[in-house]
Amino acid sequence: MKIVMLGAPGAGKGTQAKKIADRYQLPHISTGDIFRTNIKNGTELGMKAKTYMDKGNLVPDSLTLELVVDRLNQTDCKNGYVFDGFPRTIPQAEALTGALEAKGEKVDFAIDIEVPDEEIVKRMSGRRACLKCGATYHILFNAPKENDICDRCGNELSMREDDRPSTVLNRLSIYHKQTQPLIDYYQGMGCLVQFDGTKDVEEVFNDILEVLGE
Ligand code: ADP
Ligand code: ADP
Ligand code: ZN
């Protein structure tokens, strides 16, 4: 099963992608997480990506596609995957379609999680992330058991640099310009499924499971 997650920053892509990946035993591939790991490790890719990410801009397609193609060729991707935060532009989507077509494959589901902009701004200010294992929390809606400590690995949680309100507004405007057109793109491919992301985490997950089936 090959899944891509669509939706504004903060819509809940990462939260749902992890649950889907656990449920169906698929690798969860977050381009944002891969960039953040590279930044933490001080790699060349990380240093290049950081200048874009800190401002809330997209990393150029060429850099993004290089790492995605590399990741797709790893053996754990043989039976499918959940892409989270990729594709984010029409050229990225076309490149993914092309890479899959070359192997006689296609995206099975493009899962779009819909949340209005006003709600997004509220969500981002409460998001806390574990930089060690990638788990994501919300101080009100999805709190860790112990304040500021990751349930999964015990690491200290932090707020993401790019979750400051001014950066969030830029990310939202870029989402509307560059990423939202992917909804029509995947509708045209016949694999778009849309969900109301304002419901709580478990409700959204149940709605998704109903569509994905066993
Ligand atoms: P969110 O989950 O809040 O949307 P991500 O963790 O997916 O954020 O992405 C964080 C940042 O990483 C983005 O704002 C962008 O700068 C960069 N990024 C992640 N994925 C991509 C991509 N597919 N193309 C370009 N930039 C990306
Ligand atoms: P994305 O990957 O789309 O940027 P996340 O999954 O990181 O979004 O979610 C953004 C923030 O909103 C996180 O703090 C997360 O815990 C919280 N969140 C996710 N889904 C919901 C939901 N259905 N209701 C309320 N808060 C949510
Ligand atoms: Zn953790």
Side-chain angles (χ1 to χ4, degrees), residues 7-16 84 123-124 126-128 136-138 141-142 160 171 197-201 204:
K13 300 182 296 296
T15 302
Q16 298 298 333
D84 164 15
R123 275 196 193 177
M124 303 301 246
R127 171 155 68 180
R128 297 292 179 274
T136 306
Y137 303 86
H138 191 283
F141 311 130
N142 184 18
R160 270 169 47 178
R171 288 164 66 199
T198 64
K199 296 185 184 176
D200 72 32
V201 171
V204 178

Short mmCIF file of all heavy atoms in Angstrom, two decimals, residues 7-16 84 123-124 126-128 136-138 141-142 160 171 197-201 204, ligand 2:
data_model
loop_
_atom_site.label_atom_id
_atom_site.label_comp_id
_atom_site.label_asym_id
_atom_site.label_seq_id
_atom_site.Cartn_x
_atom_site.Cartn_y
_atom_site.Cartn_z
N GLY A 7 -2.15 17.95 3.22
CA GLY A 7 -2.78 18.77 4.26
C GLY A 7 -1.84 19.88 4.67
O GLY A 7 -0.62 19.77 4.49
N ALA A 8 -2.42 20.93 5.23
CA ALA A 8 -1.63 22.09 5.64
C ALA A 8 -0.64 21.69 6.73
O ALA A 8 -0.81 20.67 7.39
CB ALA A 8 -2.58 23.17 6.15
N PRO A 9 0.38 22.53 6.96
CA PRO A 9 1.25 22.30 8.11
C PRO A 9 0.40 22.29 9.38
O PRO A 9 -0.43 23.19 9.55
CB PRO A 9 2.22 23.50 8.10
CG PRO A 9 1.64 24.49 7.15
CD PRO A 9 0.76 23.74 6.21
N GLY A 10 0.54 21.28 10.20
CA GLY A 10 -0.24 21.23 11.44
C GLY A 10 -1.59 20.56 11.31
O GLY A 10 -2.32 20.44 12.29
N ALA A 11 -1.94 20.07 10.12
CA ALA A 11 -3.26 19.45 9.94
C ALA A 11 -3.36 18.10 10.66
O ALA A 11 -4.46 17.61 10.91
CB ALA A 11 -3.54 19.26 8.45
N GLY A 12 -2.19 17.52 10.97
CA GLY A 12 -2.19 16.22 11.64
C GLY A 12 -1.65 15.11 10.75
O GLY A 12 -1.85 13.93 11.04
N LYS A 13 -0.92 15.47 9.70
CA LYS A 13 -0.35 14.46 8.80
C LYS A 13 0.58 13.51 9.55
O LYS A 13 0.47 12.30 9.43
CB LYS A 13 0.47 15.12 7.67
CG LYS A 13 -0.30 16.08 6.80
CD LYS A 13 0.59 16.64 5.69
CE LYS A 13 1.74 17.49 6.20
NZ LYS A 13 1.32 18.72 6.90
N GLY A 14 1.50 14.09 10.30
CA GLY A 14 2.48 13.27 11.01
C GLY A 14 1.81 12.35 12.03
O GLY A 14 2.12 11.16 12.10
N THR A 15 0.88 12.92 12.79
CA THR A 15 0.17 12.15 13.81
C THR A 15 -0.53 10.95 13.18
O THR A 15 -0.40 9.81 13.66
CB THR A 15 -0.87 13.06 14.50
OG1 THR A 15 -0.18 14.19 15.07
CG2 THR A 15 -1.62 12.33 15.60
N GLN A 16 -1.25 11.17 12.09
CA GLN A 16 -2.00 10.08 11.46
C GLN A 16 -1.05 9.14 10.69
O GLN A 16 -1.26 7.93 10.70
CB GLN A 16 -3.08 10.64 10.52
CG GLN A 16 -4.14 11.48 11.22
CD GLN A 16 -4.95 10.70 12.26
OE1 GLN A 16 -5.11 9.48 12.17
NE2 GLN A 16 -5.46 11.40 13.27
N ASP A 84 4.92 11.37 4.33
CA ASP A 84 4.36 12.43 5.15
C ASP A 84 5.12 13.72 4.85
O ASP A 84 6.30 13.81 5.14
CB ASP A 84 4.50 11.98 6.62
CG ASP A 84 4.32 13.10 7.61
OD1 ASP A 84 3.82 14.16 7.24
OD2 ASP A 84 4.69 12.88 8.79
N ARG A 123 -3.01 25.29 16.73
CA ARG A 123 -2.36 23.99 16.92
C ARG A 123 -0.85 24.10 16.98
O ARG A 123 -0.20 23.44 17.79
CB ARG A 123 -2.70 23.07 15.76
CG ARG A 123 -4.00 22.38 15.98
CD ARG A 123 -4.09 21.22 15.04
NE ARG A 123 -5.46 20.75 15.04
CZ ARG A 123 -5.90 19.78 14.30
NH1 ARG A 123 -5.06 19.18 13.46
NH2 ARG A 123 -7.15 19.39 14.37
N MET A 124 -0.30 24.92 16.10
CA MET A 124 1.16 24.96 16.00
C MET A 124 1.82 25.50 17.25
O MET A 124 2.91 25.08 17.62
CB MET A 124 1.59 25.83 14.82
CG MET A 124 1.02 25.37 13.53
SD MET A 124 1.51 23.72 13.20
CE MET A 124 2.52 24.04 11.79
N GLY A 126 1.02 24.97 20.17
CA GLY A 126 1.06 23.97 21.23
C GLY A 126 1.81 22.70 20.84
O GLY A 126 1.90 21.75 21.61
N ARG A 127 2.34 22.67 19.60
CA ARG A 127 3.03 21.45 19.17
C ARG A 127 4.39 21.33 19.86
O ARG A 127 5.14 22.28 19.98
CB ARG A 127 3.25 21.47 17.66
CG ARG A 127 4.16 20.32 17.20
CD ARG A 127 3.94 19.91 15.78
NE ARG A 127 4.36 20.91 14.81
CZ ARG A 127 4.24 20.72 13.50
NH1 ARG A 127 3.71 19.60 13.02
NH2 ARG A 127 4.63 21.66 12.66
N ARG A 128 4.68 20.14 20.35
CA ARG A 128 6.00 19.84 20.91
C ARG A 128 6.50 18.58 20.22
O ARG A 128 5.72 17.65 19.97
CB ARG A 128 5.93 19.59 22.42
CG ARG A 128 5.47 20.78 23.24
CD ARG A 128 6.49 21.93 23.24
NE ARG A 128 6.00 23.06 24.03
CZ ARG A 128 5.22 24.04 23.55
NH1 ARG A 128 4.84 24.02 22.29
NH2 ARG A 128 4.83 25.02 24.34
N THR A 136 5.38 13.35 18.07
CA THR A 136 4.84 14.70 18.14
C THR A 136 3.70 14.74 19.15
O THR A 136 2.89 13.82 19.22
CB THR A 136 4.28 15.13 16.77
OG1 THR A 136 5.30 14.97 15.81
CG2 THR A 136 3.85 16.57 16.78
N TYR A 137 3.64 15.81 19.93
CA TYR A 137 2.61 15.97 20.95
C TYR A 137 1.96 17.34 20.81
O TYR A 137 2.43 18.18 20.06
CB TYR A 137 3.24 15.86 22.35
CG TYR A 137 3.96 14.56 22.55
CD1 TYR A 137 5.29 14.42 22.15
CD2 TYR A 137 3.31 13.46 23.09
CE1 TYR A 137 5.94 13.20 22.30
CE2 TYR A 137 3.96 12.25 23.26
CZ TYR A 137 5.28 12.12 22.86
OH TYR A 137 5.92 10.93 23.00
N HIS A 138 0.89 17.53 21.58
CA HIS A 138 0.30 18.87 21.69
C HIS A 138 0.03 19.10 23.17
O HIS A 138 -0.51 18.22 23.84
CB HIS A 138 -1.00 18.97 20.88
CG HIS A 138 -1.49 20.37 20.77
ND1 HIS A 138 -2.13 21.02 21.79
CD2 HIS A 138 -1.37 21.26 19.76
CE1 HIS A 138 -2.41 22.25 21.41
NE2 HIS A 138 -1.96 22.43 20.19
N PHE A 141 -4.04 19.02 23.32
CA PHE A 141 -4.85 18.00 22.65
C PHE A 141 -4.24 16.61 22.65
O PHE A 141 -4.91 15.63 22.33
CB PHE A 141 -5.12 18.41 21.20
CG PHE A 141 -5.62 19.82 21.05
CD1 PHE A 141 -5.03 20.69 20.15
CD2 PHE A 141 -6.68 20.28 21.83
CE1 PHE A 141 -5.49 22.00 20.01
CE2 PHE A 141 -7.14 21.58 21.70
CZ PHE A 141 -6.54 22.44 20.79
N ASN A 142 -2.95 16.52 22.93
CA ASN A 142 -2.27 15.23 22.81
C ASN A 142 -1.03 15.29 23.69
O ASN A 142 0.10 15.19 23.22
CB ASN A 142 -1.92 15.02 21.31
CG ASN A 142 -1.30 13.68 21.04
OD1 ASN A 142 -1.40 12.75 21.84
ND2 ASN A 142 -0.64 13.57 19.90
N ARG A 160 9.35 23.41 17.80
CA ARG A 160 10.10 23.56 16.56
C ARG A 160 10.32 25.02 16.23
O ARG A 160 9.42 25.83 16.38
CB ARG A 160 9.36 22.87 15.41
CG ARG A 160 9.77 21.43 15.25
CD ARG A 160 8.89 20.67 14.31
NE ARG A 160 8.62 21.37 13.05
CZ ARG A 160 7.89 20.86 12.06
NH1 ARG A 160 7.37 19.66 12.20
NH2 ARG A 160 7.69 21.54 10.96
N ARG A 171 4.29 29.66 6.13
CA ARG A 171 4.14 28.26 5.70
C ARG A 171 2.74 28.01 5.16
O ARG A 171 2.57 27.27 4.19
CB ARG A 171 4.45 27.32 6.87
CG ARG A 171 5.95 27.29 7.19
CD ARG A 171 6.22 26.70 8.55
NE ARG A 171 5.89 25.29 8.62
CZ ARG A 171 5.70 24.63 9.76
NH1 ARG A 171 5.81 25.27 10.90
NH2 ARG A 171 5.41 23.36 9.74
N GLY A 197 -10.17 17.01 9.49
CA GLY A 197 -9.09 16.97 10.48
C GLY A 197 -9.37 17.74 11.75
O GLY A 197 -8.51 17.81 12.63
N THR A 198 -10.59 18.33 11.86
CA THR A 198 -10.91 19.04 13.10
C THR A 198 -11.45 18.08 14.16
O THR A 198 -11.58 18.44 15.32
CB THR A 198 -11.96 20.15 12.88
OG1 THR A 198 -13.19 19.55 12.45
CG2 THR A 198 -11.50 21.14 11.82
N LYS A 199 -11.76 16.85 13.77
CA LYS A 199 -12.19 15.86 14.76
C LYS A 199 -10.98 15.46 15.61
O LYS A 199 -9.84 15.77 15.24
CB LYS A 199 -12.72 14.62 14.04
CG LYS A 199 -13.97 14.87 13.21
CD LYS A 199 -14.44 13.54 12.65
CE LYS A 199 -15.64 13.69 11.72
NZ LYS A 199 -16.00 12.38 11.13
N ASP A 200 -11.22 14.76 16.71
CA ASP A 200 -10.04 14.44 17.52
C ASP A 200 -9.23 13.30 16.88
O ASP A 200 -9.68 12.65 15.94
CB ASP A 200 -10.38 14.25 19.00
CG ASP A 200 -11.13 12.98 19.28
OD1 ASP A 200 -10.89 11.99 18.56
OD2 ASP A 200 -11.95 12.97 20.21
N VAL A 201 -8.01 13.12 17.40
CA VAL A 201 -7.04 12.25 16.73
C VAL A 201 -7.60 10.85 16.45
O VAL A 201 -7.46 10.33 15.33
CB VAL A 201 -5.75 12.15 17.59
CG1 VAL A 201 -4.80 11.09 17.05
CG2 VAL A 201 -5.05 13.51 17.66
N VAL A 204 -10.35 10.85 13.65
CA VAL A 204 -9.79 10.99 12.31
C VAL A 204 -9.19 9.65 11.89
O VAL A 204 -9.40 9.17 10.76
CB VAL A 204 -8.71 12.10 12.25
CG1 VAL A 204 -8.10 12.20 10.85
CG2 VAL A 204 -9.28 13.45 12.68
P1 ADP B 2 1.53 17.94 10.52
O1 ADP B 2 2.42 16.74 10.41
O2 ADP B 2 0.42 17.95 9.51
O3 ADP B 2 2.30 19.23 10.53
P2 ADP B 2 1.10 17.11 13.30
O4 ADP B 2 0.67 15.70 13.19
O5 ADP B 2 2.48 17.37 13.75
O6 ADP B 2 0.78 17.89 11.92
O7 ADP B 2 0.07 17.88 14.25
C1 ADP B 2 0.22 19.27 14.56
C2 ADP B 2 -0.11 19.51 16.04
O8 ADP B 2 -1.52 19.30 16.24
C3 ADP B 2 0.60 18.54 16.98
O9 ADP B 2 0.86 19.24 18.17
C4 ADP B 2 -0.42 17.43 17.19
O10 ADP B 2 -0.25 16.78 18.45
C5 ADP B 2 -1.76 18.19 17.13
N1 ADP B 2 -2.84 17.39 16.52
C6 ADP B 2 -2.74 16.47 15.53
N2 ADP B 2 -3.97 15.98 15.19
C7 ADP B 2 -4.85 16.64 15.99
C8 ADP B 2 -6.30 16.59 16.13
N3 ADP B 2 -7.05 15.77 15.36
N4 ADP B 2 -6.85 17.42 17.05
C9 ADP B 2 -6.10 18.24 17.80
N5 ADP B 2 -4.74 18.34 17.72
C10 ADP B 2 -4.13 17.55 16.83
#
